[in-house]
Amino acid sequence: MTISLDFLNRCDSDAFIQALHGIYEHSPWIAARAAGARPFASPAAIKLALQQVVTAASEDEQLGLIRAHPELAGKAAVAGQLTKESTDEQARAGLGNCSEQEFAQLQTLNAEYNRKFGFPFILAVKGPDGNGLGRGAIIDTFGRRLKNRRTDEIAESLRQIGRIAELRLNDLLGIRPDFGIDILARADLLAQWSDDEGALTCAYMTEAHRRVAAQLAQWMRDAGMQVGIDAVGNVVGRYLSDDPDAKTLITGSHFDTVRNGGRYDGREGILLPIAAVRHLHERGEKLPFHLEVIGFAEEEGVRFQSTFLGSSAVAGVFDMALLDRSDADGITMRAALQAAGHQVDAIPAIARDPSRLLGFIEVHIEQGPVLLERGLPVGVVTSIAGSSRYLLDLTGTAGHAGTTPMAMRRDAAAAAAEIVLHVERRCSREPALVGTVGQLQVPNGSVNVVPGACRLSLDIRAADDAVRDAAVADVLKEIAEICARRQVDFLLTPIVSAQAAPCAPWLMAQLEDAAARHGVPSFHLPSGAGHDAMMMARITDICMLFTRCGNGGISHNPLETMTADDADLSCRIFLEFLRGFKPKAT
């Protein structure tokens, strides 16, 4: 039986608590405390209210809630003592059909987990489409989370309980997150095309890349857009206004990936607008402006070590000299484009006329844990961090590991280690600053040789350029001092210098209004990762909507994930943004 949100808003507290009795296992106090927050503007609002009660609860109450949940395929399941909701969820995950070996493995994991943490393992095993996680995925997650610290695992257990409650509330209210289910299903389909077997890698102008482009183009056509693939490989769909002289609002993101990457990075920002346009088209609904959805062909820089190729062409700043850059196999970018049927001489013509643009909005998975830890499904981005990247080559003197006294060594690796620790210390001093040494190599190193050379990368980012510049200056000064003290020579090669890109307050305000109409509180956060919006900021005002990233905020990784409910809510906020969009006052 389903009930309506209106009923939950109007009924008395006792009826409200009774209606939600199966949402949280044996914990009616959660509904009792949330009842006072009525009325709820949307299903998202009631979900957040319930979650906030759990977040505000005492540690004893939170642990009691966790312990109220049964083990997966545990003794209660075998004895038939689960609640109706847990019985259904575990059945859909196939836990009632475990082989003897799987059942024994789960029992061992349950015991080990309970021994370490003192409470049962909680995992939302039911999917939004009614199906469940596979037993293999459950066992893999079990093993991975056993490595967590207890405080982290308490937080993760509460998040999983929140997800279980969200799915149960969907059933109670008769909600199906169709936009989100569609977005995730299409992302899964695109992930079948990869340069690497057993991993998702989609580098610029490979066979996999071209297949993804063709599929995106077909989906755009099916959604009612005029579609083309431009000279740099961008897939461009236009949903036209009835006014031929209308200006254009642009949205989109990239469809290439890092090596062994996730399936939502970039691609959510293409699939979500396609879903929104399809929804408008099916209803015969037009916008008072042209909407352009762009699948940017390249942002990650995997194949030719140059980022933002797609959006830089749209922004009119594509560096034509890059066409002569070669990949690891000696194939030039020019040759790769020509082999795919593109006319490289037409790339400059891709540039958009800024006077005809209304702005740019990019929807993107957060790629971090901030929204996850705040318990929020979406956030509005304030600024995209600028970045400074370098390669640092250190040259000391190789020597015998046994005969070279410690005080007489010119150890390049020891200098590198000291530099790495300084970067960590300096970039920990300010909250919106990060520093990373992502590459560290000892060329031709040997176990019995003092390292005579070392190569490392340096990446420093901040949402404020002044903060980043100050950190870079301090780090470079320290590198010089460390190398002088250790008698190690160094060569610093700048790789990237990108200014921060602030989001336009007038666009941010409209995104916040759209979110508020779905009962979602306003939350601002900076983006530490670079995005195509940085390039688009050169020709128009920009804004970004982040969707919560699951699995601890992991991204650029096969474990990158988001829920269908969060993707669905992001799509509905995006639609609300389009329908209520007001051009910048002049």
Side-chain angles (χ1 to χ4, degrees):
M1 183 185 77
T2 62
I3 61 174
S4 68
L5 182 64
D6 181 62
F7 170 79
L8 291 176
N9 281 331
R10 288 187 297 103
C11 67
D12 62 33
S13 292
D14 288 342
F16 180 82
I17 295 167
Q18 179 59 31
L20 299 183
H21 77 279
I23 303 302
Y24 288 91
E25 295 275 319
H26 309 296
S27 303
W29 56 271
I30 298 172
R33 294 180 193 177
R38 294 179 293 170
F40 301 113
S42 67
I46 188 173
K47 292 172 183 177
L48 283 169
L50 292 166
Q51 180 180 290
Q52 286 164 0
V53 169
V54 174
T55 301
S58 69
E59 183 176 338
D60 285 345
E61 288 173 322
Q62 291 175 343
L63 286 171
L65 173 61
I66 294 172
R67 289 172 178 143
H69 285 71
E71 293 179 337
L72 294 179
K75 294 177 182 178
V78 175
Q81 297 172 350
L82 302 183
T83 62
K84 176 183 178 300
E85 291 81 6
S86 288
T87 299
D88 176 66
E89 289 156 0
Q90 294 206 22
R92 288 180 184 273
L95 291 175
N97 299 318
C98 289
S99 66
E100 287 187 15
Q101 181 180 358
E102 288 171 331
F103 184 76
Q105 189 174 6
L106 282 168
Q107 297 310 299
T108 300
L109 288 168
N110 274 323
E112 187 177 348
Y113 184 95
N114 220 314
R115 188 164 50 250
K116 179 174 181 179
F117 298 118
F119 48 79
F121 175 74
I122 312 296
L123 181 65
V125 296
K126 177 184 172 185
D129 55 359
N131 296 318
L133 291 176
R135 295 189 294 276
I138 292 169
I139 290 169
D140 288 346
T141 305
F142 225 138
R144 188 168 65 249
R145 282 174 49 189
L146 265 169
K147 300 173 184 176
N148 284 349
R149 296 175 299 183
R150 189 171 189 270
T151 53
D152 295 334
E153 192 56 20
I154 289 173
E156 181 60 26
S157 296
L158 293 174
R159 282 193 286 267
Q160 291 297 325
I161 289 170
R163 178 61 179 150
I164 292 167
E166 179 173 52
L167 291 166
R168 291 177 179 180
L169 197 59
N170 286 350
D171 290 342
L172 182 67
L173 295 174
I175 296 169
R176 191 174 188 272
D178 289 326
F179 287 129
I181 292 171
D182 177 80
I183 290 163
L184 268 58
R186 291 177 189 247
D188 289 343
L189 193 152
L190 293 180
Q192 72 179 306
W193 292 306
S194 174
D195 304 331
D196 298 328
E197 189 174 349
L200 176 54
T201 303
C202 185
Y204 188 50
M205 286 298 136
T206 62
E207 178 64 23
H209 185 273
R210 288 148 64 179
R211 289 193 176 192
V212 170
Q215 182 63 77
L216 290 173
Q218 184 58 54
W219 284 338
M220 289 179 180
R221 279 189 287 271
D222 294 342
M225 290 183 254
Q226 294 185 356
V227 183
I229 298 180
D230 65 24
V232 83
N234 295 325
V235 185
V236 183
R238 284 178 62 80
Y239 189 62
L240 299 180
S241 168
D242 287 335
D243 178 4
D245 296 323
K247 292 187 177 182
T248 299
L249 179 70
I250 302 180
T251 187
S253 194
H254 63 97
F255 62 90
D256 68 319
T257 74
V258 297
R259 296 198 183 282
N260 196 25
R263 58 189 62 192
Y264 307 116
D265 173 17
R267 294 177 177 187
E268 182 204 7
I270 309 167
L271 298 173
L272 184 149
I274 291 174
V277 170
R278 185 172 61 253
H279 176 80
L280 295 173
H281 181 63
E282 287 172 350
R283 284 154 182 74
E285 185 178 349
K286 290 298 186 74
L287 300 168
F289 49 86
H290 303 311
L291 178 65
E292 196 166 284
V293 181
I294 303 180
F296 292 113
E298 201 278 348
E299 186 250 25
E300 299 288 6
V302 169
R303 184 174 181 185
F304 294 102
Q305 305 301 303
S306 184
T307 56
F308 303 112
L309 296 178
S311 51
S312 67
V314 173
V317 293
F318 183 91
D319 182 0
M320 296 294 281
L322 293 174
L323 294 171
D324 295 319
R325 183 168 290 188
S326 298
D327 66 8
D329 296 320
I331 300 170
T332 64
M333 188 187 301
R334 184 189 307 275
L337 282 163
Q338 290 172 338
H342 297 292
Q343 301 296 319
V344 295
D345 293 342
I347 291 176
I350 294 170
R352 303 298 194 268
D353 177 0
S355 69
R356 301 300 303 163
L357 301 181
L358 295 170
F360 176 79
I361 173 173
E362 183 170 3
V363 183
H364 206 284
I365 188 170
E366 183 200 345
Q367 298 183 280
V370 176
L371 293 174
L372 188 70
E373 292 185 356
R374 294 271 183 161
L376 294 171
V378 297
V380 176
V381 176
T382 55
S383 179
I384 305 168
S387 64
S388 298
R389 297 181 194 173
Y390 300 87
L391 280 180
L392 178 61
D393 288 288
L394 304 178
T395 304
T397 300
H400 195 290
T403 61
T404 308
M406 298 299 291
M408 298 177 65
R409 296 186 177 196
R410 298 177 61 214
D411 188 331
E418 195 172 345
I419 290 166
V420 171
L421 291 174
H422 176 73
V423 170
E424 182 181 53
R425 283 192 301 270
R426 176 61 180 85
C427 294
S428 296
R429 281 168 33 185
E430 297 173 69
L433 174 69
V434 293
T436 306
V437 175
Q439 296 175 323
L440 183 59
Q441 302 168 343
V442 178
N444 303 314
S446 179
V447 67
N448 61 348
V449 176
V450 176
C454 193
R455 165 170 276 206
L456 59 154
S457 63
L458 176 61
D459 182 325
I460 297 178
R461 307 187 191 201
D464 185 311
D465 284 332
V467 170
R468 174 175 53 87
D469 290 343
V472 168
D474 288 349
V475 168
L476 298 190
K477 179 174 179 289
E478 186 68 15
I479 288 172
E481 292 176 358
I482 289 169
C483 289
R485 174 164 36 82
R486 290 182 171 275
Q487 299 183 67
V488 170
D489 297 326
F490 71 93
L491 175 65
L492 191 70
T493 305
I495 302 298
V496 171
S497 180
Q499 291 185 334
C503 293
W506 70 275
L507 284 170
M508 290 172 58
Q510 294 192 45
L511 260 183
E512 289 170 17
D513 289 345
R517 287 193 286 275
H518 283 274
V520 179
S522 175
F523 180 73
H524 291 174
L525 72 167
S527 171
H531 298 287
D532 288 298
M534 297 179 76
M535 278 293 168
M536 297 302 293
R538 301 192 182 197
I539 57 171
T540 193
D541 286 346
I542 64 166
C543 65
M544 289 192 72
L545 180 71
F546 272 171
T547 304
R548 173 167 47 192
C549 183
N551 273 347
I554 295 173
S555 186
H556 280 184
N557 185 299
L559 294 176
E560 174 184 276
T561 188
M562 66 171 62
T563 69
D565 287 85
D566 286 351
D568 187 87
L569 180 59
S570 291
C571 190
R572 293 180 189 279
I573 291 171
F574 179 77
L575 271 167
E576 196 78 36
F577 174 85
L578 294 180
R579 287 167 167 152
F581 180 80
K582 295 178 178 61
K584 186 178 183 179
T586 56

